[in-house]
Amino acid sequence: MSASATSVHPVQTLYLEHHGWLQAWLRRRLDDSQQAADLAHDTFVRLLAGRREHFGDEPRALLTHVAKGLVVDHWRRREVERAYLEALAAMPEAQAPSPETRLALLQTLVQIDTLLAGLAPRTRECFLLAQLDGLTLAQIGERLAMPVITVRRHVHKALVACMACV
């Protein structure tokens, strides 16, 4: 057998040494052992996808950093799902979408929420004022006390980000 066939991937070593600790850390924060197990798994998958060979002198700090990001994403998804389910509950039953459509809509909403969260605050604000409130660039500029050309740049940047997700 060649040396490369018997070598251990660095993530495997990290997993063997720290998975139990990470899962317990997540369980304390989430108060849900199943979700903690899922996010611990996702943390290591993310590290595998990064193709790093060395994880520094403080591997638990790296694991914690990655896991915190996943926990924030989890809470954000739960909040979007909660709001979506509230909107569905307010809908007449005859107009309620099928379970498949509900799932597709929820996934799209989470994607939109993630995209918006990734925008700079001013860019997001300009974009939402234009798209949700229907304000013109001039009205947004007046409301936010910024030149129309700056508003246009912010809206353009948000639109480019949206198109990149399609």
Side-chain angles (χ1 to χ4, degrees), residues 138-161:
Q139 290 169 325
I140 296 168
E142 187 176 310
R143 181 180 284 190
L144 300 179
M146 66 173 55
V148 172
I149 189 70
T150 303
V151 172
R152 179 177 286 130
R153 285 185 192 125
H154 282 298
V155 172
H156 180 263
K157 188 183 293 185
L159 288 170
V160 167

Side-chain angles (χ1 to χ4, degrees), residues 21 31 40 118:
W21 169 84
D31 198 29

Side-chain angles (χ1 to χ4, degrees), residues 31-161:
D31 198 29
D32 180 342
S33 60
Q34 187 63 41
Q35 194 61 52
D38 288 347
L39 290 182
H41 172 78
D42 291 349
T43 300
F44 288 99
V45 167
R46 186 145 309 168
L47 291 175
L48 263 174
R51 299 178 185 228
R52 292 175 64 172
E53 294 296 320
H54 182 65
F55 298 104
D57 297 331
E58 298 289 333
R60 287 186 177 184
L62 174 64
L63 290 170
T64 302
H65 176 74
V66 173
K68 280 181 181 177
L70 292 171
V71 167
V72 168
D73 291 347
H74 166 73
W75 285 333
R76 181 179 289 127
R77 271 192 311 276
R78 280 185 41 189
E79 184 60 28
V80 169
E81 185 174 5
R82 184 197 55 74
Y84 176 61
L85 291 175
E86 283 179 10
L88 279 178
M91 201 179 237
E93 193 172 324
Q95 293 178 347
S98 69
E100 296 83 12
T101 302
R102 285 182 187 188
L103 179 60
L105 287 170
L106 182 59
Q107 290 171 338
T108 301
L109 288 170
V110 168
Q111 230 181 346
I112 291 168
D113 182 65
T114 301
L115 174 111
L116 291 173
L119 296 174
R122 276 297 203 190
T123 301
R124 181 175 48 250
E125 186 175 16
C126 290
F127 180 70
L128 291 176
L129 287 172
Q131 296 301 310
L132 297 181
D133 295 346
L135 298 181
T136 66
L137 299 178
Q139 290 169 325
I140 296 168
E142 187 176 310
R143 181 180 284 190
L144 300 179
M146 66 173 55
V148 172
I149 189 70
T150 303
V151 172
R152 179 177 286 130
R153 285 185 192 125
H154 282 298
V155 172
H156 180 263
K157 188 183 293 185
L159 288 170
V160 167

